[in-house]
Amino acid sequence: MSMGFSRRELLVTIAALGAAWVVAMLLLTAWQRRTGQRRAGSEPTLIHYPGTEDRPEQTSLNLGFRKYWFLLHEAYPSKSPYQFYDREMRQRGWRRHGAGEPQWYRRAEGGRVYDLLHAVWVSPDGLFQMELEMTSAVTQTGGEEEAVSEEREPGIKVYVTQQRVTIPSLMIPKGPGGRPRGEIEAAPE
């Protein structure tokens, strides 16, 4: 008598485990949907930039996700949405993630060039984050023989996203000096 599994037994076992996994995920999704609807009022309100209150939002109650976007009719390198959100979020007890004030930086992706400003705030309870992303597209002309010139598209695209925290490092309580608790500081030699 052999103690090993036959190929058929192994495939049946894998299929049964896969089916059990799918059923477990469907049950978990249904439970999250029910509890998410009961607690929908416990999520922070997504703050809209002045004049954008009527902009449609993309939402997912199960994920605690809300997002909207708009075109800011100001010239690059305006930071007015960042300044607005920084003031509003701090007044509500949210803290900005990261050191120093965010700066515009250049990014090239898929043949496109744009300048980007990115900032994230974390709610007082550490369960939600609000992300602000501002982009200003640039078209570059010229080539190897010519001097490269840039033409900036009008306006700045602004994306505002609020969601449950997905990065555990954002939830680590900060200790003295802004370092995460439990972080070891090496003594200078």
Side-chain angles (χ1 to χ4, degrees):
M1 186 166 131
S2 172
M3 294 296 280
F5 287 106
S6 72
R7 184 174 181 169
R8 184 170 191 263
E9 290 172 324
L10 184 61
L11 290 175
V12 168
T13 302
I14 291 172
L17 287 173
W21 178 257
V22 169
V23 169
M25 291 298 104
L26 289 172
L27 291 172
L28 179 62
T29 301
W31 175 78
Q32 286 180 329
R33 187 173 296 127
R34 283 192 311 273
T35 58
Q37 289 171 349
R38 282 191 301 237
R39 292 182 300 183
S42 66
E43 293 181 8
T45 303
L46 178 63
I47 301 167
H48 282 249
Y49 187 73
T52 65
E53 293 82 6
D54 62 342
R55 299 294 304 167
E57 291 181 9
Q58 180 182 15
T59 62
S60 172
L61 290 178
N62 289 343
L63 301 176
F65 175 90
R66 297 177 71 189
K67 179 177 187 170
Y68 83 103
W69 52 93
F70 61 95
L71 181 64
L72 179 68
H73 297 287
E74 292 181 14
Y76 168 85
S78 174
K79 285 188 174 182
S80 60
Y82 164 74
Q83 293 162 341
F84 168 79
Y85 278 107
D86 192 50
R87 182 180 59 251
E88 290 295 316
M89 301 315 281
R90 288 178 190 269
Q91 286 176 357
R92 289 168 169 74
W94 292 53
R95 63 178 167 78
R96 198 170 52 72
H97 183 68
E101 185 172 311
Q103 301 297 319
W104 286 97
Y105 62 93
R106 176 71 42 108
R107 186 167 189 181
E109 188 175 281
R112 302 243 334 141
V113 176
Y114 55 94
D115 290 313
L116 175 75
L117 187 136
H118 183 259
V120 176
W121 291 266
V122 179
S123 65
D125 59 9
L127 297 178
F128 288 88
Q129 68 183 36
M130 203 283 291
E131 178 179 6
L132 173 69
E133 184 174 282
M134 299 170 53
T135 62
S136 177
V138 175
T139 304
Q140 293 182 327
T141 57
E144 295 175 16
E145 297 176 14
E146 300 177 39
V148 176
S149 64
E150 295 183 350
E151 187 174 309
R152 191 166 298 277
E153 293 180 15
I156 297 172
K157 293 180 183 174
V158 180
Y159 304 89
V160 180
T161 307
Q162 181 177 288
Q163 63 188 6
R164 288 192 185 104
V165 172
T166 55
I167 303 171
S169 66
L170 292 178
M171 294 184 65
I172 297 173
K174 300 294 182 191
R179 293 184 307 276
R181 293 191 193 279
E183 182 178 303
I184 299 171
E185 183 175 337
E189 295 181 25

